[in-house]
């Protein structure tokens, strides 16, 4: 504990932050881990790397959690509030209230914001690509709806976000099919992805444009992502980067690490930056790999009383290895964003099994740093990344 207290005193944290950090000190922070020279992830990442968290606006109204977010991260993603359904529930009726709160918080604390997302088959209003009868709209009407949505949303946040997940999860999970048959694809055709990127670029020429998906480190899906990148680039569409979501499972750590490494290399070779855009490490058993949010299964809930120490250490080791890969690729990786902050905020408490007690993130439910926090902090300090 002494090493943490020393480094807190050395660092330039706000008084609130010091109070929160000291109150939150867990013995795991310093145990056998050596001394950290920085105290927060954003200090350790310095200007080399964006280190982010997904948040919901209501979380920013909780003082202790808000202080932790402001102190630890230099980048925010809206976990839900920038998505098509909340931003344009009815055609032409935009609602930016909750997302604007995230922007205001980020501005106040000198953080970047990433917009997530503009086109997805989930959390999207039905009217955009289908008629009242549920059948796909005619192509021109669907394209007009997509353009109107992107113009409205990207226009509103122009200059306030650094970039957009333009299209989310468009690639099929089945190895013999390239694109997922989404409502947008049914109405518009395969080129809905290219059109979405063009609309976004026209609405904010300075915004970075990303394609975002889960399982893109897996060799099969990786090939499809690379094909998409090549196709977009062949049409001179300015895709800046690919978000590797990173909803990983502790049990598969040894399998995931080399695949992540290879995928970053392949993306960089294809001329795009890599990002880990939704990082969490599930410690509970599940059969669903990736992150298809409509998946649902029954499963055990083994750690209701707390996370066993050996599991916490194994999770820290997986996080350390992920950040070692990030360091290795230098400015080929521009950002790592965690999908939540403390364990209680994680969507994995309800997916793919409802009502479980999961521990995927860096802080405990009472905001104590876990061994995973120390592992990430120290690996970040070792350098790497880049914007
Ligand atoms: C999830 C949110 O975390 C949940 O709160 C919501 O109920 C469903 O969506 N891939 C994505 C994210 O791109 O938008 C998803 O977020 C998780 C999987």
């Amino acid at each position: 504990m002494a090493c943490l207290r020393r480094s807190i005193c050395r660092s330039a944290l706000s008084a609130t932050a010091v109070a929160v950090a000291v109150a939150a000190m867990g013995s795991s922070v310093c145990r056998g881990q050596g001394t950290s020279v920085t105290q927060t992830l954003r200090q350790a990442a310095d200007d080399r790397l964006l280190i982010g968290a997904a948040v919901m606006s209501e979380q920013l109204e909780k003082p202790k959690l808000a202080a932790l977010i402001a102190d630890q991260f230099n980048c925010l993603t809206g976990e839900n509030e920038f998505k098509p359904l909340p931003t344009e529930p009815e055609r032409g009726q935009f609602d930016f209230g909750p997302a604007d709160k995230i922007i205001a918080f980020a501005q106040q604390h000198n953080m970047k914001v990433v917009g997530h997302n503009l086109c997805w088959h989930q959390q999207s209003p039905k009217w955009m690509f289908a008629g009242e009868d549920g059948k796909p709209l005619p192509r021109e009407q669907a394209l007009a709806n997509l353009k109107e949505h992107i113009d409205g949303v990207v226009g509103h946040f122009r200059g306030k976000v650094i970039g957009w997940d333009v299209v989310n999860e468009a690639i099929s999970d089945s190895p013999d099919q390239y694109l997922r048959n989404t409502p947008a694809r049914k109405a518009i055709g395969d080129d809905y992805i290219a059109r979405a990127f063009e609309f976004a670029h026209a609405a904010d020429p300075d915004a970075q444009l990303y394609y975002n998906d889960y399982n893109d480190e897996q060799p099969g899906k990786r090939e499809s992502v690379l094909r998409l990148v090549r196709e977009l680039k062949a049409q001179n569409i300015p895709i800046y980067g690919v978000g590797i979501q990173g909803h990983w499972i502790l049990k598969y750590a040894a399998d995931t690490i080399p695949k992540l490494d290879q995928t970053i290399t392949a993306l960089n070779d294809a001329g795009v930056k890599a990002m880990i855009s939704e990082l969490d490490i599930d410690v509970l058993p599940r059969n669903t790999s990736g992150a298809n949010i409509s998946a649902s299964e029954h499963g055990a809930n083994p750690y209701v009383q707390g996370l066993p120490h050996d599991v916490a250490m194994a999770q820290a080791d997986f996080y350390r290895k992920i950040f070692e890969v990030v360091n290795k690729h230098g400015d080929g990786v521009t950002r790592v964003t965690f999908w939540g902050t403390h364990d209680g905020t994680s969507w994995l408490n309800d997916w793919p099994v409802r009502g479980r007690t999961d521990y995927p993130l860096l802080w405990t439910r009472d905001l104590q740093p876990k061994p995973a926090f120390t592992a990430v902090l120290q690996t970040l300090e070792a350098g790497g990344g880049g914007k």
Side-chain angles (χ1 to χ4, degrees):
M1 200 177 284
C3 69
L4 178 58
R5 203 182 298 278
R6 257 200 327 271
S7 54
I8 285 174
C9 297
R10 270 210 307 268
S11 69
L13 292 181
S14 68
T16 334
V18 172
V20 170
V22 170
M25 272 193 279
S27 56
S28 60
V29 171
C30 302
R31 194 189 304 137
Q33 304 275 2
T35 302
S36 292
V37 289
T38 55
Q39 186 44 55
T40 72
L41 303 181
R42 72 183 291 181
Q43 288 171 340
D46 198 14
D47 278 335
R48 300 185 313 271
L49 182 75
L50 290 172
I51 188 90
V55 297
M56 298 199 234
S57 57
E58 64 183 19
Q59 294 165 350
L60 305 175
E61 283 154 28
K62 299 180 175 168
K64 285 186 180 169
L65 179 55
L68 181 142
I69 292 168
D71 288 332
Q72 296 290 343
F73 298 101
N74 57 24
C75 185
L76 296 177
T77 300
E79 184 172 349
N80 287 300
E81 289 156 324
F82 291 67
K83 288 174 181 173
L85 184 61
T87 50
E88 196 182 3
E90 303 291 337
R91 187 172 176 197
Q93 288 178 22
F94 290 92
D95 180 2
F96 298 123
D100 280 344
K101 288 188 184 168
I102 294 175
I103 299 277
F105 184 88
Q107 288 175 341
Q108 196 185 342
H109 297 286
N110 194 24
M111 310 162 99
K112 310 286 187 201
V113 179
V114 170
H116 171 79
N117 55 58
L118 298 171
C119 184
W120 190 23
H121 60 285
Q122 305 278 8
Q123 295 179 282
S124 269
K126 294 215 173 12
W127 58 262
M128 207 177 281
F129 305 115
E132 304 240 313
D133 57 3
K135 294 197 178 128
L137 289 178
R139 172 178 162 91
E140 290 312 318
Q141 205 175 327
L143 270 175
N145 285 347
L146 179 62
K147 180 173 186 325
E148 206 172 286
H149 178 71
I150 291 178
D151 279 349
V153 177
V154 176
H156 177 83
F157 293 108
R158 187 172 172 165
K160 297 176 181 162
V161 301
I162 55 162
W164 281 98
D165 289 334
V166 180
V167 178
N168 200 34
E169 300 177 357
I171 287 167
S172 162
D173 285 327
S174 97
D176 47 8
Q177 193 183 326
Y178 173 36
L179 297 180
R180 189 191 293 273
N181 208 11
T182 61
R185 179 169 181 258
K186 286 182 193 157
I188 297 172
D190 286 2
D191 71 327
Y192 84 91
I193 302 173
R195 300 291 83 75
F197 273 80
E198 283 173 355
F199 297 151
H201 184 57
D204 182 355
D206 295 327
Q208 298 172 354
L209 306 182
Y210 322 125
Y211 174 72
N212 193 54
D213 211 331
Y214 60 82
N215 275 356
D216 32 13
E217 71 284 353
Q218 299 296 331
K221 209 159 173 184
R222 178 201 302 156
E223 285 314 309
S224 296
V225 173
L226 292 168
R227 173 176 166 186
L228 179 63
V229 168
R230 284 194 294 268
E231 287 175 2
L232 292 174
K233 285 193 160 276
Q235 298 168 72
N236 284 325
I237 287 169
I239 177 170
Y240 178 88
V242 167
I244 299 164
Q245 287 187 5
H247 294 293
W248 287 317
I249 301 175
L250 179 55
K251 194 173 138 188
Y252 300 116
D255 179 67
T256 305
I257 290 296
K259 289 177 175 171
L260 170 66
D261 188 11
Q262 290 151 13
T263 302
I264 295 168
T265 301
L267 289 170
N268 291 169
D269 287 349
V272 286
K273 299 285 190 187
M275 281 144 241
I276 303 177
S277 55
E278 306 186 10
L279 182 56
D280 47 30
I281 296 178
D282 196 345
V283 300
L284 300 181
R286 77 178 199 234
N287 297 318
T288 313
S289 87
N292 178 356
I293 72 163
S294 51
S296 151
E297 58 178 90
H298 297 288
N301 191 15
Y303 305 140
V304 180
Q305 303 305 329
L307 181 62
H309 180 70
D310 59 328
V311 181
M313 296 312 281
Q315 182 187 50
D317 191 54
F318 190 2
Y319 269 118
R320 180 187 306 277
K321 291 188 169 114
I322 292 167
F323 278 81
E324 282 170 359
V325 171
V326 169
N327 286 350
K328 174 182 160 188
H329 287 275
D331 65 3
V333 179
T334 57
R335 172 170 60 93
V336 180
T337 293
F338 294 86
W339 208 241
T341 48
H342 68 74
D343 285 336
T345 64
S346 173
W347 73 304
L348 293 173
N349 293 301
D350 278 308
W351 181 93
V353 180
R354 288 199 74 80
R356 290 204 291 187
T357 306
D358 211 338
Y359 302 85
L361 297 165
L362 304 190
W363 289 272
T364 64
R365 286 163 169 78
D366 53 1
L367 300 185
Q368 300 225 5
K370 292 163 63 184
F373 169 81
T374 313
V376 171
L377 183 73
Q378 294 184 340
T379 317
L380 276 173
E381 283 175 352
K387 279 189 280 196

